[in-house]
Short mmCIF file of all heavy atoms in Angstrom, two decimals:
data_model
loop_
_atom_site.label_atom_id
_atom_site.label_comp_id
_atom_site.label_asym_id
_atom_site.label_seq_id
_atom_site.Cartn_x
_atom_site.Cartn_y
_atom_site.Cartn_z
N ALA A 143 -9.79 19.44 -19.14
CA ALA A 143 -10.20 20.84 -19.33
C ALA A 143 -9.08 21.59 -20.05
O ALA A 143 -9.40 22.42 -20.94
CB ALA A 143 -10.50 21.51 -17.97
N LEU A 144 -7.85 21.37 -19.71
CA LEU A 144 -6.73 22.03 -20.39
C LEU A 144 -6.64 21.60 -21.84
O LEU A 144 -6.43 22.44 -22.76
CB LEU A 144 -5.42 21.72 -19.65
CG LEU A 144 -4.15 22.38 -20.21
CD1 LEU A 144 -4.24 23.86 -20.10
CD2 LEU A 144 -2.92 21.88 -19.49
N LEU A 145 -6.78 20.30 -22.13
CA LEU A 145 -6.80 19.83 -23.47
C LEU A 145 -7.89 20.50 -24.32
O LEU A 145 -7.65 20.94 -25.44
CB LEU A 145 -6.98 18.29 -23.51
CG LEU A 145 -5.81 17.42 -23.12
CD1 LEU A 145 -6.20 15.95 -23.20
CD2 LEU A 145 -4.57 17.67 -24.02
N ARG A 146 -9.11 20.53 -23.75
CA ARG A 146 -10.22 21.10 -24.43
C ARG A 146 -9.99 22.57 -24.74
O ARG A 146 -10.18 23.07 -25.91
CB ARG A 146 -11.47 20.98 -23.61
CG ARG A 146 -12.63 20.33 -24.34
CD ARG A 146 -13.91 20.24 -23.55
NE ARG A 146 -13.83 20.12 -22.11
CZ ARG A 146 -13.81 19.00 -21.42
NH1 ARG A 146 -13.91 17.87 -22.09
NH2 ARG A 146 -13.73 19.02 -20.12
N ASP A 147 -9.47 23.33 -23.76
CA ASP A 147 -9.24 24.75 -23.90
C ASP A 147 -8.17 25.00 -25.00
O ASP A 147 -8.31 25.82 -25.88
CB ASP A 147 -8.78 25.35 -22.55
CG ASP A 147 -8.57 26.84 -22.64
OD1 ASP A 147 -9.51 27.56 -22.99
OD2 ASP A 147 -7.42 27.27 -22.35
N GLN A 148 -7.03 24.27 -24.89
CA GLN A 148 -5.97 24.45 -25.88
C GLN A 148 -6.46 24.10 -27.29
O GLN A 148 -6.17 24.77 -28.26
CB GLN A 148 -4.74 23.59 -25.53
CG GLN A 148 -3.84 24.18 -24.53
CD GLN A 148 -2.52 23.42 -24.45
OE1 GLN A 148 -2.10 22.72 -25.32
NE2 GLN A 148 -1.87 23.59 -23.28
N HIS A 149 -7.22 23.01 -27.38
CA HIS A 149 -7.72 22.56 -28.68
C HIS A 149 -8.60 23.64 -29.32
O HIS A 149 -8.42 23.98 -30.50
CB HIS A 149 -8.50 21.24 -28.46
CG HIS A 149 -9.05 20.64 -29.73
ND1 HIS A 149 -10.41 20.51 -29.95
CD2 HIS A 149 -8.43 20.20 -30.82
CE1 HIS A 149 -10.58 19.96 -31.16
NE2 HIS A 149 -9.41 19.75 -31.69
N GLU A 150 -9.51 24.18 -28.54
CA GLU A 150 -10.43 25.27 -29.10
C GLU A 150 -9.63 26.46 -29.54
O GLU A 150 -9.87 27.01 -30.61
CB GLU A 150 -11.42 25.65 -27.99
CG GLU A 150 -12.47 24.57 -27.78
CD GLU A 150 -13.34 24.85 -26.58
OE1 GLU A 150 -13.23 25.97 -25.97
OE2 GLU A 150 -14.16 23.96 -26.20
N LYS A 151 -8.62 26.85 -28.75
CA LYS A 151 -7.82 28.07 -29.12
C LYS A 151 -6.99 27.83 -30.35
O LYS A 151 -6.83 28.71 -31.18
CB LYS A 151 -6.96 28.44 -27.93
CG LYS A 151 -7.71 29.07 -26.80
CD LYS A 151 -6.83 29.45 -25.60
CE LYS A 151 -7.64 30.11 -24.52
NZ LYS A 151 -6.90 30.31 -23.32
N LEU A 152 -6.40 26.62 -30.48
CA LEU A 152 -5.58 26.34 -31.64
C LEU A 152 -6.43 26.22 -32.90
O LEU A 152 -6.00 26.69 -33.99
CB LEU A 152 -4.82 25.00 -31.39
CG LEU A 152 -3.72 25.04 -30.37
CD1 LEU A 152 -3.18 23.67 -30.03
CD2 LEU A 152 -2.57 25.97 -30.81
N LEU A 153 -7.63 25.66 -32.79
CA LEU A 153 -8.52 25.61 -33.99
C LEU A 153 -8.86 27.01 -34.45
O LEU A 153 -8.89 27.27 -35.67
CB LEU A 153 -9.76 24.81 -33.67
CG LEU A 153 -9.60 23.32 -33.52
CD1 LEU A 153 -10.92 22.64 -33.18
CD2 LEU A 153 -9.02 22.68 -34.79
N LYS A 154 -9.11 27.96 -33.52
CA LYS A 154 -9.43 29.35 -33.89
C LYS A 154 -8.25 29.95 -34.64
O LYS A 154 -8.45 30.85 -35.46
CB LYS A 154 -9.75 30.16 -32.65
CG LYS A 154 -11.14 29.86 -32.10
CD LYS A 154 -11.42 30.69 -30.88
CE LYS A 154 -12.81 30.30 -30.29
NZ LYS A 154 -13.02 30.92 -28.98
N ARG A 155 -7.03 29.52 -34.31
CA ARG A 155 -5.84 30.05 -34.98
C ARG A 155 -5.44 29.25 -36.20
O ARG A 155 -4.38 29.45 -36.76
CB ARG A 155 -4.66 30.14 -33.99
CG ARG A 155 -4.89 31.14 -32.88
CD ARG A 155 -3.72 31.13 -31.92
NE ARG A 155 -3.91 32.02 -30.79
CZ ARG A 155 -3.43 33.27 -30.77
NH1 ARG A 155 -2.72 33.72 -31.80
NH2 ARG A 155 -3.68 34.07 -29.76
N ARG A 156 -6.26 28.27 -36.56
CA ARG A 156 -6.11 27.41 -37.71
C ARG A 156 -4.84 26.55 -37.60
O ARG A 156 -4.19 26.28 -38.62
CB ARG A 156 -6.09 28.23 -38.99
CG ARG A 156 -7.44 28.92 -39.19
CD ARG A 156 -7.56 29.47 -40.61
NE ARG A 156 -8.89 30.09 -40.76
CZ ARG A 156 -9.09 31.27 -41.25
NH1 ARG A 156 -8.05 31.99 -41.68
NH2 ARG A 156 -10.33 31.71 -41.38
N VAL A 157 -4.48 26.17 -36.42
CA VAL A 157 -3.37 25.24 -36.18
C VAL A 157 -3.93 23.81 -36.31
O VAL A 157 -4.92 23.49 -35.64
CB VAL A 157 -2.72 25.40 -34.80
CG1 VAL A 157 -1.66 24.34 -34.51
CG2 VAL A 157 -2.14 26.81 -34.67
N PRO A 158 -3.40 22.98 -37.20
CA PRO A 158 -3.89 21.62 -37.39
C PRO A 158 -3.73 20.83 -36.06
O PRO A 158 -2.63 20.56 -35.63
CB PRO A 158 -3.03 21.04 -38.48
CG PRO A 158 -2.39 22.21 -39.18
CD PRO A 158 -2.27 23.29 -38.12
N CYS A 159 -4.89 20.47 -35.45
CA CYS A 159 -4.82 19.73 -34.24
C CYS A 159 -6.12 18.92 -34.07
O CYS A 159 -7.18 19.29 -34.58
CB CYS A 159 -4.60 20.58 -33.03
SG CYS A 159 -5.88 21.70 -32.64
N VAL A 160 -6.02 17.82 -33.33
CA VAL A 160 -7.17 17.02 -32.95
C VAL A 160 -7.04 16.60 -31.52
O VAL A 160 -5.95 16.60 -30.94
CB VAL A 160 -7.30 15.70 -33.83
CG1 VAL A 160 -7.61 16.02 -35.26
CG2 VAL A 160 -6.05 14.84 -33.70
N ARG A 161 -8.19 16.37 -30.86
CA ARG A 161 -8.22 15.95 -29.47
C ARG A 161 -8.81 14.55 -29.43
O ARG A 161 -9.89 14.31 -30.00
CB ARG A 161 -9.07 16.91 -28.66
CG ARG A 161 -9.13 16.58 -27.18
CD ARG A 161 -9.79 17.74 -26.44
NE ARG A 161 -11.10 18.04 -26.93
CZ ARG A 161 -12.22 17.45 -26.51
NH1 ARG A 161 -12.17 16.47 -25.61
NH2 ARG A 161 -13.36 17.83 -26.96
N LEU A 162 -8.12 13.60 -28.77
CA LEU A 162 -8.60 12.22 -28.66
C LEU A 162 -8.50 11.84 -27.18
O LEU A 162 -7.41 11.65 -26.64
CB LEU A 162 -7.71 11.31 -29.49
CG LEU A 162 -8.12 9.82 -29.47
CD1 LEU A 162 -9.53 9.65 -30.13
CD2 LEU A 162 -7.11 8.96 -30.22
N ASP A 163 -9.66 11.79 -26.55
CA ASP A 163 -9.74 11.36 -25.15
C ASP A 163 -11.08 10.65 -24.94
O ASP A 163 -11.86 10.49 -25.93
CB ASP A 163 -9.57 12.55 -24.19
CG ASP A 163 -10.60 13.67 -24.43
OD1 ASP A 163 -11.81 13.36 -24.41
OD2 ASP A 163 -10.19 14.80 -24.59
N GLY A 164 -11.39 10.27 -23.76
CA GLY A 164 -12.59 9.52 -23.47
C GLY A 164 -13.90 10.23 -23.73
O GLY A 164 -14.95 9.62 -23.80
N THR A 165 -13.83 11.60 -23.87
CA THR A 165 -15.08 12.34 -24.09
C THR A 165 -15.36 12.44 -25.61
O THR A 165 -16.44 12.92 -26.00
CB THR A 165 -14.97 13.75 -23.51
OG1 THR A 165 -14.00 14.53 -24.21
CG2 THR A 165 -14.64 13.73 -22.03
N VAL A 166 -14.44 12.04 -26.50
CA VAL A 166 -14.66 12.09 -27.93
C VAL A 166 -15.16 10.73 -28.30
O VAL A 166 -14.44 9.73 -28.22
CB VAL A 166 -13.34 12.46 -28.65
CG1 VAL A 166 -13.60 12.51 -30.20
CG2 VAL A 166 -12.77 13.77 -28.15
N ARG A 167 -16.41 10.67 -28.80
CA ARG A 167 -17.04 9.36 -29.06
C ARG A 167 -17.73 9.33 -30.47
O ARG A 167 -17.88 10.38 -31.09
CB ARG A 167 -18.09 9.08 -28.01
CG ARG A 167 -17.56 8.97 -26.59
CD ARG A 167 -18.62 8.56 -25.61
NE ARG A 167 -18.07 8.41 -24.29
CZ ARG A 167 -18.26 9.31 -23.33
NH1 ARG A 167 -18.97 10.38 -23.52
NH2 ARG A 167 -17.69 9.11 -22.11
N GLY A 168 -18.13 8.11 -30.81
CA GLY A 168 -18.93 7.92 -32.06
C GLY A 168 -18.29 8.39 -33.32
O GLY A 168 -17.09 8.16 -33.54
N LYS A 169 -19.07 9.10 -34.11
CA LYS A 169 -18.59 9.59 -35.44
C LYS A 169 -17.40 10.49 -35.25
O LYS A 169 -16.42 10.44 -36.03
CB LYS A 169 -19.74 10.27 -36.17
CG LYS A 169 -19.32 10.78 -37.54
CD LYS A 169 -20.49 11.51 -38.22
CE LYS A 169 -20.00 12.06 -39.54
NZ LYS A 169 -20.95 12.93 -40.16
N ALA A 170 -17.43 11.40 -34.24
CA ALA A 170 -16.34 12.37 -34.02
C ALA A 170 -15.02 11.58 -33.76
O ALA A 170 -13.98 11.94 -34.25
CB ALA A 170 -16.66 13.27 -32.90
N ARG A 171 -15.10 10.51 -32.97
CA ARG A 171 -13.93 9.73 -32.66
C ARG A 171 -13.38 9.06 -33.92
O ARG A 171 -12.14 9.02 -34.15
CB ARG A 171 -14.27 8.70 -31.59
CG ARG A 171 -13.03 8.00 -31.01
CD ARG A 171 -13.43 7.09 -29.83
NE ARG A 171 -12.28 6.59 -29.14
CZ ARG A 171 -11.70 7.16 -28.10
NH1 ARG A 171 -12.17 8.31 -27.66
NH2 ARG A 171 -10.63 6.63 -27.47
N ARG A 172 -14.27 8.48 -34.71
CA ARG A 172 -13.80 7.84 -35.97
C ARG A 172 -13.13 8.85 -36.89
O ARG A 172 -12.08 8.55 -37.49
CB ARG A 172 -14.98 7.18 -36.72
CG ARG A 172 -15.47 5.93 -36.01
CD ARG A 172 -16.47 5.15 -36.90
NE ARG A 172 -17.67 5.92 -37.22
CZ ARG A 172 -18.74 6.02 -36.43
NH1 ARG A 172 -18.76 5.41 -35.20
NH2 ARG A 172 -19.78 6.73 -36.79
N GLU A 173 -13.66 10.05 -36.98
CA GLU A 173 -13.06 11.08 -37.83
C GLU A 173 -11.69 11.50 -37.30
O GLU A 173 -10.76 11.72 -38.08
CB GLU A 173 -14.01 12.31 -37.90
CG GLU A 173 -15.24 12.04 -38.75
CD GLU A 173 -16.23 13.17 -38.67
OE1 GLU A 173 -16.03 14.16 -37.88
OE2 GLU A 173 -17.21 13.10 -39.40
#
Side-chain angles (χ1 to χ4, degrees):
L144 181 64
L145 285 178
R146 231 183 332 265
D147 182 59
Q148 278 192 21
H149 182 242
E150 289 170 6
K151 288 178 179 172
L152 290 170
L153 288 177
K154 285 180 184 171
R155 294 177 181 265
R156 297 191 178 133
V157 174
C159 66
V160 293
R161 182 171 56 87
L162 182 65
D163 58 53
T165 67
V166 181
R167 298 186 179 103
K169 181 181 177 190
R171 191 175 189 89
R172 287 191 299 277
E173 289 173 354

